[in-house]
Amino acid sequence: MSLTVAILMAGGPVLAEPARDVIKMVNALRAKHGLHALKLSPELEAAAQRHAQDMARRNFLDHKGSDGSSPANRAKRAGYNFCTVAENVAAGQRSSGEVMQAWTDSTGHRRNMLKPKARDIAVVRGPNNKWVMMLAAKRGRC
């Protein structure tokens, strides 16, 4: 059974519960700090999914992909033309609450989630509990 977070249906992405929960928690955190809510991006989701699978397949945790790619490279490859992009990664957390707590407790990850210029988000829980969150804004929306 795949732990893929999104299944593309005719009507658009349908998120698995852990991803949906994390996005709700991120938007609640942002609201608490007077920031706008983020919207799901299918392009960022595709980039996050590929990175989560790569990390699981090769058993590593890093913002640098096994092919040397950066979050910016992966977003661009997925067709997301950005003016700002950030990524949070985590491994081993078994629930949306656990991964959100880990990211909230980390200064850098929390800063990414509270990035004022971000407009879009994707969250993926990949195989072996490899988590990837991407936050970004398209050119012209920064």
Side-chain angles (χ1 to χ4, degrees):
M1 180 170 130
S2 172
L3 293 174
T4 302
V5 170
I7 302 167
L8 293 180
M9 306 287 283
V14 176
L15 292 177
E17 195 149 340
R20 185 175 41 247
D21 290 347
V22 171
I23 291 171
K24 284 180 185 176
M25 288 184 259
V26 169
N27 282 333
L29 177 67
R30 289 176 65 83
K32 200 164 93 171
H33 287 85
L35 297 168
H36 57 271
L38 303 175
K39 294 181 182 177
L40 175 65
S41 164
E43 297 93 348
L44 292 177
E45 193 170 51
Q49 182 66 43
R50 282 191 289 275
H51 190 50
Q53 289 173 339
D54 181 40
M55 290 191 301
R57 187 174 24 255
R58 299 179 192 279
N59 196 30
F60 73 98
L61 180 69
D62 202 324
H63 294 289
K64 184 177 179 180
S66 65
D67 63 355
S69 64
S70 68
N73 298 137
R74 292 188 291 276
K76 188 178 267 188
R77 281 186 208 155
Y80 193 96
N81 188 12
F82 63 89
C83 56
T84 186
V85 64
E87 180 182 76
N88 289 349
V89 296
Q93 293 82 1
R94 295 180 180 265
S95 71
S96 53
E98 285 180 25
V99 77
M100 188 63 185
Q101 187 66 55
W103 283 333
T104 303
D105 290 346
S106 162
T107 303
H109 293 106
R110 183 181 177 89
R111 183 174 38 247
N112 284 345
M113 292 186 292
L114 295 174
K115 192 173 191 131
K117 290 184 178 180
R119 297 285 180 263
D120 300 314
I121 188 170
V123 177
V124 170
R125 178 184 179 189
N128 302 325
N129 292 314
K130 299 287 186 174
W131 295 81
V132 178
M133 174 189 290
M134 294 189 79
L135 308 106
K138 289 186 177 176
R139 288 204 187 279
R141 292 181 62 209
C142 281

